[in-house]
């Protein structure tokens, strides 16, 4: 694929901590959590690592699909995102 035919998104989301909606969990995958984030009117879907605390909370039933979660980029690398906590929506 040449650079002329590559589709580049209009906006690239910033590489920082953000909240997202937990879309799915695959316990056998390397990056078990899939999250969805809406930024500037565009939906972005990311596969993420999960902290041990979040694994325990998911197995206990305290975190379910559709919950808001906090996602952090490890060492500012967008390929190394991790779900670290549940966020309680109050707005």
């Amino acid at each position: 694929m040449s650079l002329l035919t590559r589709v580049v998104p209009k906006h690239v989301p910033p590489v920082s901590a953000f909240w997202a909606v937990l879309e799915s969990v695959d316990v056998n995958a390397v990056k078990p959590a899939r999250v969805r984030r809406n930024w500037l009117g565009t939906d972005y879907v990311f596969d993420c690592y999960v902290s041990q605390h979040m694994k325990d909370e998911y197995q206990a039933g305290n975190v379910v699909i559709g919950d808001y979660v906090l996602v952090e980029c490890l060492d500012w690398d967008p390929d190394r995102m991790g779900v670290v906590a549940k966020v309680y929506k109050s707005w």
Side-chain angles (χ1 to χ4, degrees):
M1 179 188 303
S2 73
L3 292 176
L4 297 176
T5 60
R6 194 177 96 181
V7 177
V8 178
K10 184 177 179 182
H11 301 286
V12 178
V15 182
S16 60
F18 60 90
W19 61 268
V21 177
L22 185 63
E23 288 284 311
S24 65
V25 175
D26 180 9
V27 295
N28 296 322
V30 174
K31 295 181 179 180
R34 176 165 284 182
V35 298
R36 179 178 45 84
R37 174 190 187 189
N38 186 305
W39 190 70
L40 292 177
T42 304
D43 279 334
Y44 294 91
V45 177
F46 302 104
D47 290 329
C48 301
Y49 296 105
V50 179
S51 68
Q52 185 63 46
H53 171 73
M54 287 303 293
K55 285 182 185 177
D56 295 342
E57 291 292 313
Y58 180 76
Q59 290 174 344
N62 297 331
V63 176
V64 296
I65 305 302
D67 281 349
Y68 288 91
V69 292
L70 179 65
V71 179
E72 290 190 8
C73 297
L74 306 171
D75 296 328
W76 299 96
D77 185 359
D79 293 329
R80 296 181 57 210
M81 294 184 185
V83 177
V84 295
K86 179 178 178 177
V87 177
Y88 294 93
K89 186 175 178 180
S90 63
W91 60 92

